[in-house]
Amino acid sequence: MASVLSYESLVHAVAGAVGSVTAMTVFFPLDTARLRLQVDEKRKSKTTHMVLLEIIKEEGILAPYRGWFPVISSLCCSNFVYFYTFNSLKAVWVKGQRSTTGKDLVVGFVAGVVNVLLTTPLWVVNTRLKLQGAKFRNEDIVPTNYKGIIDAFHQIIRDEGISALWNGTFPSLLLVFNPAIQFMFYEGLKRQLLKKRMKLSSLDVFIIGAVAKAIATTLTYPMQTVQSILRFGRHRLNPENRTLGSLRNILYLLHQRVRRFGILGLYKGLEAKLLQTVLTAALMFLVYEKLTAATFTVMGLKRAHTH
């Protein structure tokens, strides 16, 4: 029991973290474009490649990778926590029997909530560092000058109080439904395909996974936009709505978006997000699977030698 908890969960956690870091590094510029489209409403360019070209022209060739280190460290911690919690809970609850869809869903949901509560401060800091020094079209945005991760924590706690580190927690908790929706569609599509054929190829699984992720992202995207704006926290918000992250504030931000840009304003940056999420999820999954398989093979060989 203890060995399952510590060793196997650790392998999954490390593999998940390495997989996500590899995938995120490859597709990082897409995330930069998505964040600018969400936060800077005055930007004229609407498409991902145009925004990226604009950023490179105005801010230099390395600008799409601005804030890479804090994002990667947050992602590493975040996925480590998620995979570790998920596999530990599963090991405790399932205890050697076959897991069901329902159990996987509940475990995934709980792991997501634990992850959000523990890692939101890191994401608040990295959203700000990623946007620091950016040339905004929106005059309402108050610029920041943090020297690094530690200094950002220090300044936010000093100027805005410790609770500011949990800005956007409420939409983040709602976004835990994203993997739940993805899982639901993935299983449903798989069942439909299996009615028509005996076995699914790697390509089938890859496409189903991508479609499921795309549906989940599209459905939860307005909340992601609100989450980015709240985490960034540099917009001059409605004075009576200072309690960032409250339901009233989320509704206020959604309403503002719709009023200014129409219903499509809620989906600014979606194409960049879809491109990045689907590709990142596929690549992360690949690295994660290969790493866990390789690690368990090596450990298995080592164990065989010791007996």
Side-chain angles (χ1 to χ4, degrees):
M1 166 65 189
S3 67
V4 168
L5 247 181
S6 54
Y7 164 70
E8 293 204 350
S9 297
L10 193 64
V11 171
H12 283 291
V14 171
V18 172
S20 62
V21 165
T22 310
M24 190 54 156
T25 302
V26 174
F27 300 115
F28 195 81
L30 291 174
D31 197 53
T32 303
R34 182 266 315 168
L35 194 57
R36 293 292 178 88
L37 283 163
Q38 280 182 326
V39 173
D40 190 9
E41 301 105 331
K42 298 270 165 67
R43 202 170 268 284
K44 293 279 182 287
S45 303
K46 297 284 184 283
T47 59
T48 311
H49 65 279
M50 288 306 290
V51 169
L52 277 176
L53 285 173
E54 225 169 59
I55 293 170
I56 291 168
K57 201 166 75 187
E58 290 176 10
E59 302 168 36
I61 190 81
L62 290 176
Y65 275 91
R66 181 188 284 114
W68 173 82
F69 184 72
V71 170
I72 289 302
S73 7
S74 306
L75 198 67
C76 208
C77 296
S78 192
N79 269 341
F80 188 90
V81 169
Y82 189 87
F83 278 92
Y84 198 94
T85 314
F86 185 87
N87 288 290
S88 303
L89 284 173
K90 207 167 161 181
V92 172
W93 194 14
V94 178
K95 289 198 182 82
Q97 305 151 5
R98 280 193 63 185
S99 182
T100 61
T101 308
K103 280 185 181 177
D104 277 347
L105 209 58
V106 173
V107 170
F109 193 81
V110 174
V113 171
V114 170
N115 182 23
V116 164
L117 295 176
L118 287 178
T119 61
T120 290
L122 283 169
W123 288 111
V124 167
V125 165
N126 90 49
T127 301
R128 296 196 184 189
L129 286 171
K130 205 164 182 320
L131 292 165
Q132 182 164 287
K135 292 181 167 59
F136 290 115
R137 307 291 194 271
N138 188 351
E139 305 79 52
D140 286 348
I141 293 173
V142 191
T144 59
N145 58 331
Y146 305 131
K147 292 182 189 72
I149 298 178
I150 308 298
D151 183 51
F153 272 114
H154 172 71
Q155 280 197 43
I156 292 169
I157 292 168
R158 188 192 63 202
D159 302 337
E160 301 167 51
I162 195 139
S163 65
L165 289 172
W166 273 270
N167 281 353
T169 303
F170 192 69
S172 299
L173 286 172
L174 293 178
L175 283 170
V176 173
F177 285 110
N178 184 314
I181 295 167
Q182 180 192 344
F183 198 79
M184 188 179 79
F185 276 102
Y186 182 78
E187 290 300 314
L189 289 166
K190 204 159 83 176
R191 273 195 298 275
Q192 290 303 316
L193 266 182
L194 283 171
K195 284 179 186 169
K196 297 189 180 77
R197 58 190 79 169
M198 289 295 290
K199 202 166 146 283
L200 295 182
S201 68
S202 312
L203 185 64
D204 289 336
V205 174
F206 180 88
I207 291 170
I208 294 171
V211 170
K213 186 70 184 168
I215 294 170
T217 302
T218 307
L219 289 176
T220 54
Y221 193 76
M223 285 317 290
Q224 290 181 0
T225 301
V226 168
Q227 181 194 46
S228 292
I229 293 169
L230 288 177
R231 278 178 178 169
F232 186 40
R234 312 304 292 176
H235 288 69
R236 297 184 175 92
L237 274 172
N238 205 352
E240 64 266 21
N241 276 6
R242 274 318 302 176
T243 48
L244 280 177
S246 73
L247 186 58
R248 242 176 80 204
N249 218 29
I250 289 171
L251 294 172
Y252 166 74
L253 282 168
L254 288 171
H255 178 242
Q256 283 289 87
R257 278 257 151 173
V258 175
R259 217 180 63 202
R260 288 168 73 177
F261 305 106
I263 204 84
L264 288 176
L266 295 175
Y267 286 94
K268 279 183 89 163
L270 177 65
E271 58 159 330
K273 181 68 181 174
L274 279 178
L275 206 55
Q276 182 236 336
T277 313
V278 171
L279 294 173
T280 305
L283 186 58
M284 186 204 96
F285 205 58
L286 194 69
V287 176
Y288 165 67
E289 290 293 339
K290 298 279 183 220
L291 260 181
T292 38
T295 311
F296 285 130
T297 308
V298 171
M299 297 318 266
L301 288 174
K302 280 188 180 170
R303 281 179 186 165
H305 288 309
T306 52
H307 287 311

